[in-house]
Amino acid sequence: MGSREVIVLSVGGVRFVTRASTLQQFPESRLARMVNDDDREFKLVNGEFFVDRDGALFSYIMDFLRTLQVSLPTDFSDYQRLQREAEFYGLYPLANLLRQEHLLKPRLEILEVRFSLQEMQAFFRIFGSCSATIEALAEQITVFTGQQSGQGWSSPFSSQKPLVPLPLERPSHHDMIFQCGTEYSAGDQFVARYVCIKPDNRKLINGTNVLGLLLDTLLKDGFRLISTRTVTSEEKVECYTFERMKSAPGLAIMVNQTPGSSGVAQARRSQMQKGK
């Protein structure tokens, strides 16, 4: 049996097909011993190993053996049961990771957009509980500036001077500030600021249009709008609050593959995420 490359398991009535080498990732585990016919509790029936355990939870164990990463769905809650299953199969590195439940659970992320209109300019300030999200959003947003003649939201781009990108204001790692629209410069010249939010390539000057694109971008990125309120009626500052469940960074296992390895593994942080 140890020479077979493909192994079929029936776990709680759920059928799994995998390579023998996948089950032998951790030589001291019961699954590795099963492949080598060293664990009699796993019965071979019609060419398939029968295991009287939870088949749904075993799918996560197979994912771990194939990727050496623990990355669970945001709605997963059976940490203790999965830990018991890992201990049953002798996968103690996985069981130890599951004990760090606080590292694996998704986190609630809050993001707030403040928007105000003042004459022909619109001002935006974005606050976020997760600095990585603000960093990613800052990479999507670009503000361009240039001079043009005439005044108005719909004024065309100046054909005389190219638009110049401006850095976003970053008061802290958790917020950013930018604006769009026009303001008086000299004579009949006006300084115009346009906003581009990737993956949309348009350069928008109208604050209401920029707000609509920004909110749509956040919704497509998995955020949910939970409240809208007016912060100060005098300055007409509107506040849009969003939330989303953010998957925790995956925990990965580094396996010692040197000859004579006893399957000792070390956990490390992985930047891999499922979704956002």
Side-chain angles (χ1 to χ4, degrees), residues 57-126:
L57 291 178
F58 190 72
S59 65
Y60 298 113
I61 289 176
M62 283 303 308
D63 182 64
F64 167 74
L65 291 173
R66 288 166 175 152
T67 65
L68 297 181
Q69 294 178 333
V70 183
S71 184
L72 301 171
T74 55
D75 59 350
F76 186 81
S77 60
D78 290 335
Y79 292 93
Q80 292 185 349
R81 291 182 59 213
L82 184 55
Q83 178 187 326
R84 287 199 300 268
E85 293 300 295
E87 291 172 346
F88 170 80
Y89 292 108
L91 295 170
Y92 297 108
L94 173 58
N96 291 336
L97 288 185
L98 290 167
R99 290 190 184 96
Q100 305 178 64
E101 184 177 330
H102 65 287
L103 298 178
L104 297 171
K105 281 188 173 181
R107 294 166 295 188
L108 180 63
E109 183 179 358
I110 302 296
L111 188 140
E112 183 180 276
V113 176
R114 293 196 175 192
F115 168 73
S116 65
L117 284 174
Q118 298 178 17
E119 297 182 351
M120 300 305 295
Q121 297 184 78
F123 298 85
F124 295 83
R125 186 161 193 170
I126 303 176

Side-chain angles (χ1 to χ4, degrees), residues 2 21 23 37 42 47 53 57-58 60 65 84 93-94 119 123 153 164 183 208-209 215 244 248 255 262 266 273 275:
S21 57
L23 299 175
D37 288 333
F42 297 90
R53 304 293 294 191
L57 291 178
F58 190 72
Y60 298 113
L65 291 173
R84 287 199 300 268
L94 173 58
E119 297 182 351
F123 298 85
W153 288 111
V164 178
E183 61 180 334
T208 303
N209 292 342
L215 300 186
R244 74 174 175 185
V255 182
S262 61
Q266 180 181 3
Q273 292 185 353

Side-chain angles (χ1 to χ4, degrees), residues 143-148 157-158 161-165 192-194 203:
V143 178
F144 297 90
T145 185
Q147 286 190 338
Q148 65 181 46
F157 299 135
S158 171
K161 295 183 179 181
L163 295 178
V164 178
R193 287 185 176 88
Y194 304 85
K203 294 180 177 66

